[in-house]
Amino acid sequence: MPRLDDHFCSCSCPASERHRKQLRAGAGGLAAKVEEMISPSVSSPSLLVDHSALNTSPSHRRHSSGHSTGVSVHRCNSSHANSWHHHLVQRSLVLFSVGVVLALVLNLLQIQRNVTLFPEEVIATIFSSAWWVPPCCGTAAAVVGLLYPCIDSHLGEPHKFKREWASVMRCIAVFVGINHASAKLDFANNVQLSLTLAALSLGLWWTFDRSRSGLGLGITIAFLATLITQFLVYNGVYQYTSPDFLYIRSWLPCIFFSGGVTVGNIGRQLAMGVPEKPHSD
């Protein structure tokens, strides 16, 4: 007859087998849920990596590099332009001051020798000169002094003859001497004085300039300044004693020519070492 323990084993084995299957099914479901929970967290870093990879792509790097280069070039151009304008203002002020001083000194020589006559009511300064003469001469000196190096640069012919301040100071001294000679020297007639001053003015240009642009600008300045002076004298602003060239003295264009060459040399010397004018894009 069958024993009780055999019956118990035959009954308990199917139950334990079912229990094991349930445990395996539960473990598999739990693993599936855990995998579903973990997969979003794993995919999000991959998206971040892909996004960062897009941001560090070669085209993006080239764009960033080009942008930074453009900013640096713009800053460099802006700094260059500011430096050029700063030097321009400085040169203009120096040339204006030189023109004012020369006008006061040279006009005083002319008035003391009664070569130039102003109405009594306009003589109000210690230099015995009309108030408008120094600022007008200073403005003209600034324009001429800035024009000379500008024309040299435009023509592509930089002036290199005697480019030192000692030569410029000698040129100023010769110019003052020519102006002083026009008021002090006595000749038999004005023609002889005019020819002498013309030779001295050309000698000044040959000694301290020798450039075609300097000669051309000197002649142009002498012509324009003579026309303006004729107009002022014609309208009674002031007058010259013993005029022999319409309303003025015949030697006056020589003074304007030598003055233009002198101020031009000062402007050229001031322009040395100044950065070139920036080009606008």
Side-chain angles (χ1 to χ4, degrees), residues 151-165:
I151 295 297
D152 291 339
S153 176
H154 181 72
L155 295 177
E157 298 178 355
H159 185 258
K160 299 180 180 179
F161 182 71
K162 292 188 177 181
R163 297 298 298 271
E164 65 272 350
W165 279 111

Side-chain angles (χ1 to χ4, degrees), residues 161-174:
F161 182 71
K162 292 188 177 181
R163 297 298 298 271
E164 65 272 350
W165 279 111
S167 177
V168 173
M169 298 306 295
R170 288 193 295 269
C171 183
I172 295 174
V174 173

Side-chain angles (χ1 to χ4, degrees), residues 13 33 45 48 57 66 80 111 119 121 131 135 169 171 190 195 240 267:
C13 287
K33 290 182 180 181
L48 292 175
S57 62
H80 183 73
I111 293 175
E121 60 270 15
W131 66 268
M169 298 306 295
C171 183
N190 286 329
L195 293 175
Y240 286 91

Side-chain angles (χ1 to χ4, degrees), residues 12-58:
S12 60
C13 287
S16 62
E17 185 69 22
R18 286 194 301 270
H19 180 67
R20 285 194 296 269
K21 290 181 180 180
Q22 290 177 357
L23 289 177
R24 284 196 297 268
L30 181 61
K33 290 182 180 181
V34 172
E35 184 178 358
E36 291 178 357
M37 294 174 63
I38 294 175
S39 60
S41 61
V42 173
S43 62
S44 60
S46 64
L47 292 176
L48 292 175
V49 171
D50 293 339
H51 182 69
S52 63
L54 289 175
N55 288 339
T56 57
S57 62

Side-chain angles (χ1 to χ4, degrees), residues 180-191:
H180 186 69
S182 67
K184 293 289 186 180
L185 295 180
D186 293 324
F187 285 85
N189 52 58
N190 286 329
V191 175

Side-chain angles (χ1 to χ4, degrees), residues 88-227:
L88 180 65
V89 172
Q90 284 185 333
R91 287 187 290 152
S92 300
L93 292 176
V94 172
L95 290 167
F96 180 86
S97 302
V98 170
V100 169
V101 172
L102 289 177
L104 292 174
V105 173
L106 301 181
N107 197 43
L108 177 62
L109 293 175
Q110 300 289 341
I111 293 175
Q112 286 181 344
R113 293 287 294 179
N114 291 325
V115 176
T116 305
L117 300 177
F118 287 92
E120 293 294 334
E121 60 270 15
V122 302
I123 305 299
T125 67
I126 59 174
F127 292 99
S128 300
S129 178
W131 66 268
W132 52 267
V133 172
C136 288
C137 292
T139 303
V143 173
V144 172
L146 295 175
L147 187 61
Y148 264 75
C150 181
I151 295 297
D152 291 339
S153 176
H154 181 72
L155 295 177
E157 298 178 355
H159 185 258
K160 299 180 180 179
F161 182 71
K162 292 188 177 181
R163 297 298 298 271
E164 65 272 350
W165 279 111
S167 177
V168 173
M169 298 306 295
R170 288 193 295 269
C171 183
I172 295 174
V174 173
F175 169 63
V176 174
I178 292 175
N179 197 288
H180 186 69
S182 67
K184 293 289 186 180
L185 295 180
D186 293 324
F187 285 85
N189 52 58
N190 286 329
V191 175
Q192 293 181 358
L193 178 60
S194 300
L195 293 175
T196 301
L197 294 181
L200 292 175
S201 300
L202 288 175
L204 181 143
W205 168 79
W206 180 257
T207 304
F208 301 103
D209 193 323
R210 294 190 186 181
S211 66
R212 293 178 298 174
S213 59
L215 179 62
L217 282 173
I219 294 174
T220 303
I221 291 168
F223 176 75
L224 294 177
T226 301
L227 286 180

Side-chain angles (χ1 to χ4, degrees), residues 109 198 237 262 276:
L109 293 175
V237 178
T262 302
E276 295 182 358

